[in-house]
């Protein structure tokens, strides 16, 4: 039941930092697939994550193949795309303790490589939004996805209210 957020060739370091903060909030691991559209600078990432970047598990990969080699057959892999026909609440994220869920988010300008998209065609997810808006910021979409995943797991291991 482990949640993994995957950023495919992220272009904006501030988005990565904000997503790292979301990963910390929801106890998710962050996977970063190169090339990046920025110079990897931990001090900038730490600042944009409000000093949470060093508190998360993050992994870097030189390319998609290197990342995908570590995904197991029983793991669930989804890609968020404006081409998706399923909404996050229409996907069953519940799984056993051994299974990991990987939610993939594309580059801010170009999304995910079409060849990769084709291999995951049955697992496309789209956040429903106003028809006049092209897309949400990737960090907002990640937050929505993390919330839905956590909701389906009854917010297990997360603080529900302050005492």
């Amino acid at each position: 039941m482990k949640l993994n957020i995957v950023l495919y060739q992220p272009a904006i370091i501030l988005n990565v930092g904000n997503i790292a903060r979301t990963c910390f909030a929801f106890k998710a691991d962050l996977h970063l697939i190169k090339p990046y559209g920025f110079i990897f600078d931990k001090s900038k990432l730490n600042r944009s994550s409000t000093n949470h970047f060093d508190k998360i598990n993050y992994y870097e990969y030189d390319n998609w193949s290197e990342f995908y080699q570590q995904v197991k057959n029983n793991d669930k892999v989804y890609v968020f795309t404006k081409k998706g026909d399923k909404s996050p609440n229409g996907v069953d994220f519940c799984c056993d303790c051994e299974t990991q869920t990987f939610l993939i988010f594309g580059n801010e300008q170009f999304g995910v490589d079409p060849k990769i998209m084709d291999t995951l065609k049955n697992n496309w997810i789209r956040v429903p939004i106003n028809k006049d808006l092209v897309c949400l910021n990737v960090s907002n979409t990640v937050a929505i996805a993390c919330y839905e995943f956590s909701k389906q797991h009854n917010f297990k291991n997360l603080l529900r209210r302050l005492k």
Side-chain angles (χ1 to χ4, degrees):
M1 158 184 134
K2 181 65 180 165
L3 177 59
N4 297 274
I5 300 301
V6 181
L7 302 182
Y8 177 81
Q9 299 180 354
I12 302 172
I13 196 167
L14 297 176
N15 282 337
V16 175
N18 194 38
I19 291 166
R21 178 174 31 178
T22 299
C23 288
F24 181 74
F26 289 96
K27 297 186 176 183
D29 289 351
L30 179 60
H31 301 260
L32 304 169
I33 301 173
K34 297 175 184 177
Y36 307 142
F38 54 85
I39 296 170
F40 191 92
D41 180 336
K42 279 186 92 173
S43 66
K44 285 184 182 177
L45 285 166
N46 220 23
R47 187 172 35 243
S48 62
S49 69
T50 61
N51 296 320
H52 291 92
F53 192 79
D54 288 333
K55 297 176 183 175
I56 64 166
N57 294 324
Y58 77 93
Y59 308 91
E60 294 183 90
Y61 306 91
D62 289 330
N63 53 51
W64 173 261
S65 297
E66 184 180 334
F67 159 74
Y68 205 68
Q69 287 175 5
Q70 58 98 36
V71 175
K72 298 176 183 65
N73 285 339
N74 63 333
D75 291 338
K76 294 184 174 189
V77 181
Y78 302 95
V79 63
F80 277 72
T81 172
K82 63 183 177 183
K83 299 175 183 179
D85 58 357
K86 298 173 190 163
S87 63
N89 68 321
V91 176
D92 182 6
F93 290 122
C94 292
C95 49
D96 61 49
C97 293
E98 300 299 316
T99 303
Q100 295 194 74
T101 299
F102 292 89
L103 305 180
I104 301 163
F105 300 85
N107 172 284
E108 290 89 341
Q109 289 182 297
F110 307 109
V112 175
D113 183 299
K115 292 176 188 170
I116 296 168
M117 292 286 291
D118 286 346
T119 65
L120 299 169
K121 193 163 187 117
N122 294 326
N123 291 341
W124 290 2
I125 300 173
R126 180 181 189 275
V127 174
I129 57 173
N130 180 329
K131 67 177 177 59
D132 297 324
L133 183 67
V134 175
C135 64
L136 291 171
N137 179 284
V138 66
S139 64
N140 294 333
T141 306
V142 169
I144 290 168
C146 288
Y147 182 85
E148 181 60 34
F149 179 91
S150 297
K151 182 182 86 172
Q152 289 187 24
H153 288 91
N154 199 28
F155 303 102
K156 186 176 181 179
N157 302 322
L158 298 177
L159 179 65
R160 294 181 199 203
R161 64 183 160 158
L162 295 175
K163 298 185 185 210

